[in-house]
Amino acid sequence: MNNRLVELKNITKSFGNVNALNNVSMEINKPEIVGLIGDNGAGKSTLIKILSGVYAPDSGEIFLHGKQVEGHWSVARAHAAGIETVYQDRALCVQHTIALNIFMGREITGAFGLVKVRKQYEEAERLMREIGFTSRVFTPDSVVATLSGGERQGVAIARALYFEAELLILDEPTNALSLTETQKVYSFMLAAKDKGSSVVFISHNIYHAYDIADRFIILDRGTVVMQVDKSEVESAERLVQHMKDFARAGHAS
Amino acid sequence: MSASAIPTPAKRRRTRGPLAKYLNRNRRAISALAIFAVLLIIFTMANPRIFTNPITYRAIFLSLPISLFVVVPLVFIVASGEIDLSFPATAGITSWVFSAAVQSGWEPVAALIPALLLGVVVGLVVGGLVTYVGLSSLVATLGMNFLMRGIINMGTQGVAIQFPQMRTTALWQAFAGRIEGFPVINGFPVHMLWGLGFVALGWMLFNRHRLGIRVQIVGDNPDSAAEMGITVARVKIGAFVFLGIGAALSGVLSVLVNQNWWPTTGDGLLLPALAAVFVGGTPTWGGIGTVVGSSIGAFIIAFIETGIIGAGLTGYVTQFFNGLVIILSLIGHRFNGRRYR
Ligand SMILES: Nc1ncnc2c1ncn2[C@@H]1O[C@H](COP(=O)(O)OP(=O)(O)O)[C@@H](O)[C@H]1O
Ligand SMILES: [Mg+2]
């Protein structure tokens, strides 16, 4: 298929005795919003960390635009390939400023590796204005520790948007957010899709995922148990029912 | 109301002017300066004649740069979330290499090169033990300190190396000579300028260079750093290499200043240098630090030594006074904020 963006094949990952992922295969097309759902501990975060280059899988293959990834897949390579991730833990340094957090690991540098602090400040300011940092009390110089949970989440999301991803991955982005804030995150996802990007949206709340996704991938204890288009499920309740069935089947076996 | 995932303007927060922001951002260094000012006032009241005389400060500047060369890199180590107790022996072993090379006829400038290289190697080894082998930096560097000092002792059997002719060499002139032809600082040791230059370089590296900024990121939250594509181990090893280089410079400078290398060279640095880092406002928990503050901390520690004698007290009270200043400064720095989470 020519609109295939990413394909994961037979990904397996263990942490000691814990088998986090078992032969997981999935694909992400372009453009679409994929809802990756499953209970806590199903392996969702582990899966997207492998895709983002944080963890190396024990075995399995990653394909990008139909080409197999050779050698060590890393965060830097994922960034270069246009994969941006909002991690569940937000990946922030709370003792530091918003601007530093946005550019951490990808500092804007000039001669001798000196960081263009001014430029980073201006870019961060522009970004904050564009995506809705309307508050005047926050500047790019504000220390992240002084922000609320939702505001910190906003910084993590803003950072991912800044780098204009081809694939935007959001790991439970709406957990700390109010209803209006959640709506805003949805609008970001839809805007990204409108621009031709793909989005992976992780949630353990199926109602959240059902609202927004085009397709669902259900993970259960490290295994993909279902991949289904939204058109094939009548309602969020149906999806919940499916998950319960899988959980029951799993316990029975 | 703002419909954003992001900051709501509903809460009223104090907006601050540029000066207030500047003061707030540099509050740790400014506190260190305040501690120094208090000491200065106390000592000057005790003996106005001594503490208004530049000669007093000349004496302080004779030894201060030796500690600055390790204090500045130590700020990087502590900010990266690690600690190092091996730098005294690193200073000892690198300056031993320097001294042995000079003794066997090398030009002192040339002898500096193997000393610096050894400093880099020690940094790589220590950094590798802490990151790739996963040892605690506290214990690993404690072990390295004994190990390297032991190598010195076995190799030299306790014999020192003297350099009666050191003052005639180009390296001495450039690195440890005297400033001439300037008012006020005339006759001051040249290495005061090198020390200040090193602090400036350290400040630049820490606050404006990718390396220093990543040191702070890694110390703040190594998981976040890794998730954003920073190789945590490489950054930490970089900090240890910087300390290895600083320790080599410190050791060589000590040899130049004293015109003598002892098997114990560097040993006396351990506690004063660590005290300087924390008295100067670099917190113990990692993620942030202040190069300028900790350099002022080094000055404070050196100043106490001279100040006690100058104020007419006996040297026996030095340690007590040092301890008092350390505790009081840490209490003072509490007001600069606790650890954020
Ligand atoms: N770094 C880790 N070390 C050890 N175990 C881990 C680690 N990360 C995840 N796990 C384990 O792997 C399983 C899947 O976790 P995770 O991917 O976080 O699930 P989810 O995001 O779906 O809630 C869990 O049992 C979890 O305890
Ligand atoms: Mg998770």
Side-chain angles (χ1 to χ4, degrees):
Chain A
M1 252 212 246
N2 55 4
N3 66 341
R4 174 98 2 121
L5 180 60
V6 173
E7 193 168 353
L8 298 176
K9 272 194 188 155
N10 304 319
I11 299 285
T12 297
K13 177 78 183 173
S14 304
F15 298 102
N17 294 333
V18 180
N19 224 339
L21 295 172
N22 255 320
N23 269 313
V24 168
S25 297
M26 62 175 273
E27 56 274 346
I28 300 156
N29 301 316
K30 211 184 160 183
E32 68 172 348
I33 298 178
V34 176
L36 181 58
I37 53 188
D39 270 342
N40 278 328
K44 306 180 296 292
S45 296
T46 303
L47 183 60
I48 63 97
K49 280 185 180 176
I50 286 170
L51 182 52
S52 313
V54 178
Y55 295 152
D58 297 337
S59 64
E61 289 130 36
I62 301 172
F63 292 79
L64 266 180
H65 295 293
K67 266 200 242 101
Q68 187 176 350
V69 166
E70 307 277 353
H72 177 67
W73 183 241
S74 64
V75 173
R77 284 180 72 184
H79 281 164
I83 299 175
E84 290 297 326
T85 308
V86 177
Y87 296 96
Q88 192 168 4
D89 66 6
R90 304 191 188 111
L92 297 173
C93 288
V94 297
Q95 299 179 86
H96 290 283
T97 64
I98 293 175
L100 183 141
N101 271 277
I102 286 171
F103 291 100
M104 69 189 263
R106 287 178 284 186
E107 300 81 5
I108 303 178
T109 54
F112 310 114
L114 289 175
V115 176
K116 295 185 171 173
V117 175
R118 177 106 222 170
K119 172 94 172 145
Q120 289 192 168
Y121 184 95
E122 286 164 6
E123 285 294 294
E125 196 168 43
R126 182 179 63 77
L127 177 68
M128 286 165 72
R129 207 169 333 106
E130 273 176 19
I131 76 154
F133 272 92
T134 47
S135 166
R136 298 208 63 208
V137 290
F138 289 110
T139 68
D141 267 343
S142 300
V143 172
V144 170
T146 63
L147 310 188
S148 74
E151 290 160 349
R152 293 181 194 194
Q153 189 74 52
V155 174
I157 294 170
R159 172 172 61 194
L161 294 175
Y162 176 82
F163 293 97
E164 301 191 338
E166 197 169 9
L167 174 60
L168 182 62
I169 303 171
L170 300 131
D171 193 349
E172 313 222 6
T174 54
N175 279 3
L177 304 185
S178 70
L179 201 62
T180 45
E181 289 167 342
T182 301
Q183 293 298 333
K184 183 117 182 175
V185 175
Y186 289 172
S187 74
F188 292 146
M189 288 195 252
L190 291 169
K193 187 177 125 186
D194 279 347
K195 281 196 215 154
S197 301
S198 305
V199 179
V200 174
F201 172 52
I202 297 181
S203 182
H204 63 250
N205 184 329
I206 295 172
Y207 296 96
H208 274 184
Y210 190 81
D211 287 346
I212 186 95
D214 303 315
R215 199 157 62 82
F216 306 96
I217 298 175
I218 304 179
L219 262 186
D220 185 62
R221 277 155 290 174
T223 312
V224 173
V225 290
M226 191 178 195
Q227 296 205 46
V228 61
D229 269 13
K230 190 171 190 169
S231 57
E232 294 168 49
V233 278
E234 313 82 81
S235 65
E237 282 73 18
R238 277 302 297 152
L239 214 49
V240 174
Q241 194 53 51
H242 280 311
M243 277 188 72
K244 282 186 183 152
D245 293 345
F246 290 124
R248 200 171 310 119
H251 285 302
S253 67
Chain B
M1 238 199 82
S2 149
S4 78
I6 306 132
T8 51
K11 280 167 264 164
R12 280 191 184 271
R13 295 185 203 214
R14 231 159 8 108
T15 37
R16 285 190 267 220
L19 178 66
K21 267 188 185 165
Y22 177 85
L23 293 178
N24 184 48
R25 196 164 47 234
N26 295 295
R27 62 189 187 276
R28 290 172 188 281
I30 292 165
S31 310
L33 201 59
I35 295 163
F36 170 69
V38 170
L39 277 175
L40 186 64
I41 290 167
I42 294 173
F43 286 145
T44 310
M45 287 195 319
N47 192 339
R49 237 165 28 95
I50 296 265
F51 291 98
T52 50
N53 188 346
I55 304 280
T56 309
Y57 300 92
R58 200 159 81 186
I60 295 171
F61 279 122
L62 204 58
S63 64
L64 177 63
I66 296 173
S67 93
L68 283 180
F69 280 116
V70 292
V71 166
V72 170
L74 274 172
V75 172
F76 285 65
I77 297 285
V78 173
S80 82
E82 302 294 345
I83 188 66
D84 189 293
L85 306 177
S86 67
F87 64 89
T90 310
I93 205 164
T94 50
S95 59
W96 178 32
V97 166
F98 169 80
S99 303
V102 172
Q103 198 181 31
S104 63
W106 287 45
E107 267 302 309
V109 182
L112 194 55
I113 295 167
L116 288 172
L117 284 179
L118 182 58
V120 170
V121 170
V122 171
L124 289 173
V125 170
V126 173
L129 287 175
V130 170
T131 56
Y132 291 115
V133 186
L135 303 185
S136 131
S137 56
L138 179 74
V139 187
T141 58
L142 185 64
M144 283 298 287
N145 195 45
F146 280 121
L147 201 77
M148 291 190 288
R149 192 62 71 184
I151 291 171
I152 295 172
N153 288 337
M154 291 186 297
T156 62
Q157 301 290 315
V159 178
I161 305 173
Q162 289 169 19
F163 299 102
Q165 261 82 55
M166 190 56 94
R167 275 166 175 270
T168 61
T169 65
L171 188 69
W172 191 89
Q173 299 286 348
F175 208 45
R178 296 283 172 269
I179 296 169
E180 279 158 45
F182 290 93
V184 187
I185 58 165
N186 201 22
F188 270 57
V190 166
H191 47 273
M192 175 185 105
L193 299 181
W194 286 103
L196 291 179
F198 192 72
V199 171
L201 178 87
W203 180 89
M204 196 78 171
L205 208 55
F206 192 74
N207 296 295
R208 289 290 180 273
H209 195 276
R210 191 168 48 199
L211 288 178
I213 287 177
R214 289 185 176 184
V215 160
Q216 299 179 54
I217 289 169
V218 159
D220 185 295
N221 192 332
D223 293 334
S224 300
E227 283 168 349
M228 282 298 124
I230 295 171
T231 314
V232 174
R234 200 184 299 164
V235 173
K236 288 193 173 178
I237 290 173
F240 281 106
V241 167
F242 184 38
L243 180 59
I245 293 169
L249 290 170
S250 168
V252 169
L253 180 59
S254 148
V255 170
L256 293 175
V257 169
N258 297 304
Q259 297 161 68
N260 210 322
W261 176 85
W262 290 279
T264 53
T265 289
D267 241 3
L269 278 175
L270 180 61
L271 297 177
L274 286 173
V277 171
F278 301 117
V279 164
T282 295
T284 49
W285 59 71
I288 49 176
T290 162
V291 169
V292 171
S294 291
S295 301
I296 295 171
F299 190 82
I300 291 171
I301 300 292
F303 187 60
I304 291 172
E305 193 91 26
T306 316
I308 296 278
I309 310 295
L313 298 168
T314 85
Y316 296 121
V317 300
T318 311
Q319 297 215 354
F320 176 81
F321 207 76
N322 259 330
L324 199 63
V325 170
I326 291 170
I327 302 293
L328 291 179
S329 336
L330 284 195
I331 292 172
H333 287 305
R334 289 286 286 188
F335 296 104
N336 290 321
R338 297 179 191 195
R339 180 172 193 173
Y340 284 138
R341 285 176 196 280

